[in-house]
Amino acid sequence: SSSSSSSSSSAGGSSSGGDGAASVASALKRRTGKKRSRPERKKAVRATAGGGRAAMYRPYGSAIEALRAYHSVHGDLVIPRRFVVPGSEEYPEEWHGIDLSSSVYDMRWWQLHVRSNADRVAELNSLGFVWERLQPEWNLVLEALVAYSMKCGHVLVPSSFVVPRGDDETWPRATWGIRLGSCVHRMRIRHDFLRGPTAASRKAQLDGLGFVWDVNERAFLRTYRALKHFRRMERRGAAAASSSSSRGGSDGAAAARRYKALRVPSTFVVPEGEERGWPEDLWGLPLGAKCSAIRHKGLYVKNQPDRQRALEELGFQWSGNATLGWLQVVHAAAVFSRLHGRTLDVPINFVVPAPPTHRAPDEQESDGGVDHRVTGTEDAWPWPEQLWGFPLGQRLKDVRLKGAYLTGDAASSRRAQLDALGFNWTPKRGRRRRP
DNA sequence: AAATGTAAGTTGTGGGCGCT
DNA sequence: AGCGCCCACAACTTACATTT
């Protein structure tokens, strides 16, 4: 409803003067009413627009007078879009209440009054008439977007952004005052400017600027990339910590890598700074909070099974970090149980072993013990990589003695899980019999 | 073979720190 | 605030090795 010029009416050009004056008069009369309710106000605006159309056929003399008045008050002719001439003395009375910019920055007005009259062109030039404003609004919006892209490096325009006035070359004069943020929003939501036969080419133009059609999608991809990066760094850290193994990716290791649970602390924020190895556009992203929102509010993933699957493939845990510890305990316990004839009697100091990769020089080679190296394809190491170093004995001790992991609703089912693995709740004290 | 010493492993307690 | 995770230490229990 913004551009009055686009709404074509059947008002014939023949009976211009009289009808125009009458409609202006009626518009004026309507406007004198007191407070208006919302819908009424809309009607009023439309009435002004009608006035604007009528204004087109007003004599050029009064138009230039109105423009002069505007110039003397504001110092230029960069008239805000939808500028309604106030009812003050400077302006000719017949322009009071009329949308000046829509009337004058209109191709048809130009054709009607100016085109074939060099004097008038010069006259308008001297006032600083912004000829570019005669273009379709789309051209100006696009121009503003290009300028925005040059300045900010992207076209994610905040919805409240309005092209500022300013004489530094950044913003072409014709684009001043465009509510660019709102335009962008409307293009996304309502496809404003993007209907009809020109839609395809306009969309292509926007794509060339890197226009973001789906903000949600973009935000998701950002989080997704951050998670991916987090996983990669976590793995690198783990590799450095275990100080071992330049072993390439065997199948087992690859599988373990794929299913390793992602554990992002809820307070984690992507660190800023070049040397940390994070892509710059991710700096400051509150990744931990995002994960919580994904879990608890379905952020990005509500009705988006593809995204859910993508996250799962990264090892994202829907259960949250709290239950992650327990999952590790059961996992390790299950392996232990399988290795010990369905019993779970774990020495308190037991730590899930990593496969020995090379024989240490001082290692005592006891009585021809079996070499447990994983070098062979057969006899794969029973412990998955993500459990190496996991202090299962300690954890189960906490379970027995402090009831760790056994609070809340899940307690009974967890107890049952442990029972199923043959958990010994009251192990014998003292030294164990040597095997 | 019984007595004794020692090492290995436990329970029990307690607390610090960080995450949720 | 409460829990998860980790650490430390004392006290205790038991298996094994050694001595008597």
Side-chain angles (χ1 to χ4, degrees):
Chain A
S1 63
S2 63
S3 65
S4 59
S5 54
S6 66
S7 67
S8 67
S9 86
S10 59
S14 57
S15 59
S16 58
D19 278 9
S23 76
V24 170
S26 69
L28 276 170
K29 208 178 287 171
R30 226 168 305 169
R31 217 174 315 103
T32 50
K34 302 162 210 168
K35 52 190 171 176
R36 303 185 184 92
S37 62
R38 238 189 180 301
E40 245 183 307
R41 224 170 118 232
K42 242 182 222 165
K43 226 182 281 171
V45 168
R46 211 166 291 139
T48 352
R53 196 182 320 116
M56 180 181 307
Y57 302 105
R58 236 176 284 264
Y60 173 79
S62 84
I64 193 72
E65 206 181 316
L67 288 176
R68 279 226 170 77
Y70 184 93
H71 187 267
S72 73
V73 174
H74 297 93
D76 61 33
L77 278 191
V78 189
I79 310 169
R81 285 150 178 83
R82 266 194 262 169
F83 171 79
V84 176
V85 175
S88 53
E89 282 191 3
E90 306 96 315
Y91 294 95
E93 193 169 333
E94 61 177 327
W95 282 87
H96 289 185
I98 306 294
D99 183 341
L100 183 58
S101 60
S102 299
S103 307
V104 156
Y105 285 124
D106 183 297
M107 199 58 121
R108 286 175 301 164
W109 182 85
W110 175 75
Q111 285 169 345
L112 201 60
H113 297 291
V114 185
R115 179 165 54 180
S116 48
N117 197 324
D119 292 350
R120 294 182 175 179
V121 171
E123 191 174 19
L124 288 172
N125 255 338
S126 71
L127 283 176
F129 191 81
V130 187
W131 299 100
E132 293 80 8
R133 283 272 291 267
L134 292 172
Q135 300 178 79
E137 188 72 358
W138 161 255
N139 290 21
L140 300 177
V141 168
L142 187 63
E143 206 175 333
L145 266 181
V146 170
Y148 189 97
S149 169
M150 300 279 272
K151 181 163 186 289
C152 304
H154 59 81
V155 285
L156 290 160
V157 187
S159 58
S160 62
F161 178 82
V162 177
V163 176
R165 313 174 135 251
D167 283 317
D168 61 341
E169 312 295 307
T170 324
W171 305 102
R173 182 168 281 247
T175 67
W176 290 1
I178 292 181
R179 300 161 57 81
L180 190 60
S182 139
C183 287
V184 165
H185 184 247
R186 276 162 24 218
M187 286 191 274
R188 288 195 191 116
I189 302 299
R190 285 198 323 208
H191 303 101
D192 280 12
F193 299 110
L194 301 170
R195 300 170 192 280
T198 56
S201 74
R202 289 183 175 184
K203 281 179 180 163
Q205 285 178 296
L206 291 172
D207 282 335
L209 281 175
F211 190 82
V212 176
W213 297 96
D214 187 337
V215 189
N216 183 275
E217 168 89 359
R218 202 192 96 94
F220 169 74
L221 287 176
R222 216 160 90 89
T223 303
Y224 179 79
R225 278 194 305 127
L227 281 173
K228 226 165 163 176
H229 198 85
F230 185 93
R231 189 179 65 146
R232 208 164 58 231
M233 305 211 60
E234 196 180 47
R235 200 159 292 139
R236 195 168 307 156
S242 70
S243 80
S244 68
S245 70
S246 56
R247 37 196 299 267
S250 76
D251 292 343
R257 201 164 291 158
R258 201 172 318 124
Y259 297 123
K260 162 138 179 126
L262 257 192
R263 186 168 212 161
V264 184
S266 66
T267 53
F268 179 79
V269 175
V270 172
E272 311 194 359
E274 299 283 354
E275 72 284 355
R276 313 297 295 269
W278 287 84
E280 186 167 352
D281 68 310
L282 298 178
W283 292 359
L285 180 72
L287 190 58
K290 292 291 177 204
C291 289
S292 295
I294 290 171
R295 279 194 279 265
H296 298 125
K297 296 190 214 157
L299 177 70
Y300 305 140
V301 296
K302 215 178 281 173
N303 305 323
Q304 302 268 7
D306 288 352
R307 293 182 180 176
Q308 291 174 18
R309 212 163 6 80
L311 290 178
E312 280 159 22
E313 260 164 46
L314 288 184
F316 185 84
Q317 298 301 114
W318 300 99
S319 52
N321 292 344
T323 49
L324 223 54
W326 167 251
L327 293 179
Q328 263 188 308
V329 170
V330 216
H331 189 180
V335 175
F336 190 100
S337 172
R338 184 165 51 79
L339 294 177
H340 293 82
R342 320 294 317 165
T343 62
L344 190 54
D345 194 2
V346 186
I348 202 164
N349 290 334
F350 177 81
V351 171
V352 172
T357 50
H358 54 79
R359 198 158 303 161
D362 61 338
E363 189 178 346
Q364 79 280 25
E365 178 57 33
S366 59
D367 58 315
V370 191
D371 187 8
H372 281 298
R373 275 185 292 181
V374 222
T375 50
T377 50
E378 79 224 41
D379 184 28
W381 191 247
W383 298 98
E385 182 175 355
Q386 74 261 26
L387 291 177
W388 297 350
F390 182 72
L392 182 62
Q394 179 75 241
R395 295 287 188 282
L396 290 178
K397 178 210 122 187
D398 279 347
V399 170
R400 284 199 306 270
L401 270 64
K402 300 187 183 177
Y405 308 105
L406 298 179
T407 57
D409 299 339
S412 58
S413 78
R414 290 181 176 181
R415 254 185 259 273
Q417 272 181 286
L418 288 172
D419 282 337
L421 295 174
F423 187 51
N424 184 358
W425 291 88
T426 54
K428 267 206 324 190
R429 289 174 149 241
R431 186 173 173 168
R432 282 160 193 253
R433 226 171 266 281
R434 268 222 290 267

